[in-house]
Amino acid sequence: MGARVLLQAAAYEVLFELPERGPRKAFKDRVEALTSVPEERVYEYRYETRAGLKRERRTIKGMWADRFYTLRNHIIHGEEVRQREFRFLRAQHHLTISPLMFTQCGKRLVDMQLQSTKQRKRFFERIDWTVIQEKDEYESRQVGLEASTD
């Protein structure tokens, strides 16, 4: 799983051409800008740095980007990574979310390029934090990020 996270993180680094200085902030900003919608709720949360914990306000997508990049850093620096770190908000696995977000970011970049040349937008999906599966007698309710069409 660690190798897959690193491969996915490398794909984002190429897609976004992340800078040498401040790649984590650039990653969070880019994911949030490309996947969030104007009316989306903003949350205050804590994130870790070498100097300790800091507070920040971001959408759920920005929070995901932060947690994904933190997971990447833990793996790269050889830290012990617990299984729960592979789940975002204890709900959905990063290896499920990452390709979804990557695809969404790619679509948004294509649409931005098309619109800059006065062409029509092609992609209308959005990603929302939602109930993916309702609770029934056999399985518990599942929440997570899911693509939907406006």
Side-chain angles (χ1 to χ4, degrees), residues 81-92 94:
V81 179
R82 290 172 278 175
Q83 288 299 309
R84 70 179 188 191
E85 282 187 73
F86 285 94
R87 291 195 167 280
F88 177 58
L89 298 179
R90 298 182 180 185
Q92 194 175 25
H94 282 292

Side-chain angles (χ1 to χ4, degrees), residues 117-132:
T117 60
K118 308 288 188 223
Q119 295 181 52
R120 273 187 5 197
K121 185 176 171 180
R122 291 195 179 170
F123 304 105
F124 298 93
E125 298 87 7
R126 59 186 271 167
I127 294 179
D128 297 306
W129 185 259
T130 186
V131 175
I132 296 172

Side-chain angles (χ1 to χ4, degrees), residues 38-55:
E39 70 275 0
E40 197 157 340
R41 184 176 171 192
V42 175
Y43 300 86
E44 185 171 314
Y45 72 102
R46 286 190 250 197
Y47 70 99
E48 69 180 66
T49 67
R50 285 183 231 157
L53 293 176
K54 291 189 176 184
R55 289 190 178 275

Side-chain angles (χ1 to χ4, degrees), residues 21-95:
R21 295 186 61 105
R24 179 184 185 163
K25 182 179 181 330
F27 177 66
K28 293 188 293 188
D29 290 346
R30 202 68 196 256
V31 166
E32 195 167 51
L34 291 170
T35 62
S36 297
V37 292
E39 70 275 0
E40 197 157 340
R41 184 176 171 192
V42 175
Y43 300 86
E44 185 171 314
Y45 72 102
R46 286 190 250 197
Y47 70 99
E48 69 180 66
T49 67
R50 285 183 231 157
L53 293 176
K54 291 189 176 184
R55 289 190 178 275
E56 187 169 48
R57 292 179 51 80
R58 289 199 179 260
T59 64
I60 199 85
K61 285 112 178 190
M63 286 174 57
W64 171 80
D66 178 74
R67 296 292 191 261
F68 182 74
Y69 210 84
T70 298
L71 174 60
R72 168 216 178 263
N73 286 347
H74 288 174
I75 294 166
I76 283 177
H77 296 294
E79 295 178 26
E80 183 180 339
V81 179
R82 290 172 278 175
Q83 288 299 309
R84 70 179 188 191
E85 282 187 73
F86 285 94
R87 291 195 167 280
F88 177 58
L89 298 179
R90 298 182 180 185
Q92 194 175 25
H93 206 285
H94 282 292
L95 294 177

